[in-house]
Amino acid sequence: MINRASGSIAALGISALAVLGSATVASAHTPVLSASCVADKAVIAVQLTDYNAGKDNELIVTDNGAELVSANFGSSHRFQRELDGAAGHRLVVEVKAWDDPDSEQGWSFTKTLDVPQCVKVTTTAPPVQTTTPAPTPSSPTPSQVVTSPTSSEPVSQLVGDETPAEPLAATGASPLWLLVGGAALLGAGGAALFVARRRRA
């Protein structure tokens, strides 16, 4: 009886240890992932603990399609990297656990973490330089044009269509005798008229 009882107790103990062991394995493979802005930088951190170190596990991290790390690890692994804070980042974390190749237990996984711009880049437009055109010399108006005579001789101004009178040509004969003759004829005519009136009276 004692042997049987002790055998039953041993069997129960083994079963309990097996249950506890399976629970420990199930609670293992603990990943912690974070990606955020820290002091104007984008920071990604990956911490993997309690993985099965019986064979190599694998970690691959990419940033916007570019590979940041590809490493094999045993039971635990930690990865941290600072990235440019002036750009956005799409981070893809891929973990391949050798004891969960089909990701049935969730120990192998692929997760995407997005980090926006941590620093807002402000661009200032260069000042616009305005140039004032140089003043161009203005042409004088007709009223401003002053013409000066080309010679010192006086210039006679013509009005309308009038032409300057030409001096009479000298013939050499004096008109005095004509005047004297006319006066004599007038005097004779006046005397004859006076005599005729006297006779009638």
Side-chain angles (χ1 to χ4, degrees):
M1 290 291 295
I2 296 174
N3 291 334
R4 289 182 180 180
S6 59
S8 299
I9 293 172
L12 289 174
I14 293 172
S15 299
L17 290 175
V19 172
L20 290 174
S22 62
T24 302
V25 173
S27 63
H29 304 78
T30 306
V32 177
L33 311 178
S34 66
S36 60
C37 295
V38 178
D40 295 337
K41 295 288 185 179
V43 179
I44 177 174
V46 179
Q47 185 171 356
L48 306 172
T49 56
D50 298 328
Y51 273 74
N52 190 340
K55 293 182 181 180
D56 287 339
N57 303 296
E58 185 177 5
L59 169 67
I60 300 173
V61 180
T62 60
D63 175 20
N64 295 332
E67 187 176 86
L68 293 181
V69 64
S70 177
N72 295 328
F73 65 96
S75 62
S76 62
H77 187 74
R78 179 179 176 83
F79 169 77
Q80 183 170 328
R81 181 75 58 86
E82 287 186 354
L83 304 172
D84 183 14
H89 301 272
R90 168 155 287 193
L91 302 161
V92 179
V93 180
E94 183 178 3
V95 175
K96 297 179 181 179
W98 70 268
D99 54 351
D100 185 24
D102 298 328
S103 191
E104 294 179 355
Q105 304 296 327
W107 304 334
S108 296
F109 62 87
T110 299
K111 292 186 178 181
T112 301
L113 306 173
D114 290 325
V115 181
Q117 276 185 308
C118 299
V119 178
K120 301 300 181 182
V121 179
T122 58
T123 57
T124 57
V128 179
Q129 297 181 354
T130 58
T131 57
T132 304
T136 56
S138 58
S139 301
T141 59
S143 61
Q144 295 175 339
V145 177
V146 178
T147 58
S148 60
T150 57
S151 64
S152 59
E153 297 179 358
V155 180
S156 60
Q157 296 182 354
L158 304 181
V159 179
D161 296 334
E162 295 182 359
T163 57
E166 297 180 358
L168 297 175
T171 60
S174 177
L176 184 58
W177 65 272
L178 294 175
L179 295 176
V180 174
L185 290 176
L186 289 174
L193 181 61
F194 180 74
V195 171
R197 286 182 179 180
R198 292 282 294 179
R199 287 179 178 176
R200 290 178 184 176

